[in-house]
Amino acid sequence: DAGVIQSPRHEVTEMGQEVTLRCKPISGHDYLFWYRQTMMRGLELLIYFNNNVPIDDSGMPEDRFSAKMPNASFSTLKIQPSEPRDSAVYFCASSDSGTGNEKLFFGSGTQLSVL
Amino acid sequence: GEDVEQSLFLSVREGDSSVINCTYTDSSSTYLYWYKQEPGAGLQLLTYIFSNMDMKQDQRLTVLLNKKDKHLSLRIADTQTGDSAIYFCADQRGGADGLTFGKGTHLIIQP
């Protein structure tokens, strides 16, 4: 398996623009997580899905952030409008609940810079 | 305070052992994990331990868990330059999905 695939690797945009981050989880995994990493706050869980259904979005910072998972192999995280404070690395991770523990497999991340 | 705490930096000499410490607060934690992040990359699972164990060894890695004190450590024997990375401690809480991560410990290797 190719692992968790995220795109783009880097995104530079101007304040006010819409940004869409993409994730393809590992085939067969039923959980998908979106994390944000900054120097100040470390890794923050934004939202996660189980079997394509959003379970907990309490970590989403504002209404400007939204996430979807239209099928088991694809998820998006959208920021509209983007702001400079959204600059961070965004990680997608997936896991298989059938193992009994939450071994998360992470993608390589999207480095977002909002100017 | 934070739910999972780690020191931000650790500096060791090449060839020495590195010991990275972590404390957590949730007594319902079922599994505890160590992840490694190299520059520009995602987090990679190194090892994990079930909460009813007190030690786990995997080649150069030794995990020690003191459940009473809620203290977890990762020992890396014979530290090499390739071990230079950020190491994250994470816990899995009973009845909850996902993991709660510490802020990570930057391991710096001196020649």
Side-chain angles (χ1 to χ4, degrees), chain A residues 37-90:
Chain A
Q37 184 180 35
T38 60
M39 287 291 292
M40 290 298 295
R41 302 166 80 98
L43 271 167
E44 301 173 278
L45 176 62
L46 300 177
I47 185 172
Y48 73 92
F49 296 82
N50 177 223
N51 291 320
N52 314 338
V53 176
I55 302 301
D56 185 354
D57 65 354
S58 60
M60 297 284 258
E62 302 172 29
D63 290 345
R64 299 184 295 107
F65 286 69
S66 62
K68 293 182 180 179
M69 192 165 185
N71 57 62
S73 59
F74 184 66
S75 176
T76 59
L77 178 68
K78 186 178 292 187
I79 308 172
Q80 165 65 17
S82 58
E83 296 182 3
R85 60 193 167 123
D86 302 330
S87 297
V89 182
Y90 290 81

Side-chain angles (χ1 to χ4, degrees), chain A residues 78-115:
Chain A
K78 186 178 292 187
I79 308 172
Q80 165 65 17
S82 58
E83 296 182 3
R85 60 193 167 123
D86 302 330
S87 297
V89 182
Y90 290 81
F91 287 105
C92 174
S94 68
S95 70
D96 175 9
S97 65
T99 63
N101 57 53
E102 291 277 10
K103 285 192 286 186
L104 298 188
F105 293 83
F106 282 78
S108 298
T110 295
Q111 172 82 58
L112 174 65
S113 298
V114 183
L115 306 178

Side-chain angles (χ1 to χ4, degrees), chain B residues 60-78:
Chain B
R60 291 191 299 123
L61 305 179
T62 303
V63 178
L64 295 178
L65 174 60
N66 181 327
K67 194 173 182 180
K68 173 177 170 291
D69 294 340
K70 298 187 182 66
H71 181 269
L72 181 75
S73 68
L74 173 70
R75 178 177 178 269
I76 306 172
D78 186 24

Side-chain angles (χ1 to χ4, degrees), chain A residues 9 31 33 35 37 40-43 48 55 91 100-108, chain B residues 31 33 35 37 40-43 45 48 88 92 96-103 106:
Chain A
R9 284 300 310 274
Y31 277 86
F33 301 83
Y35 282 89
Q37 184 180 35
M40 290 298 295
R41 302 166 80 98
L43 271 167
Y48 73 92
I55 302 301
F91 287 105
N101 57 53
E102 291 277 10
K103 285 192 286 186
L104 298 188
F105 293 83
F106 282 78
S108 298
Chain B
Y31 287 89
Y33 301 79
Y35 280 81
Q37 184 182 30
L43 278 71
L45 177 65
Y48 65 97
F88 290 88
Q92 176 182 342
D97 295 319
L99 303 180
T100 301
F101 287 86
K103 286 196 171 179
H106 290 73

Side-chain angles (χ1 to χ4, degrees), chain B residues 36-51:
Chain B
K36 177 183 181 182
Q37 184 182 30
E38 296 180 351
L43 278 71
Q44 174 191 6
L45 177 65
L46 274 182
T47 186
Y48 65 97
I49 188 167
F50 188 47
S51 60

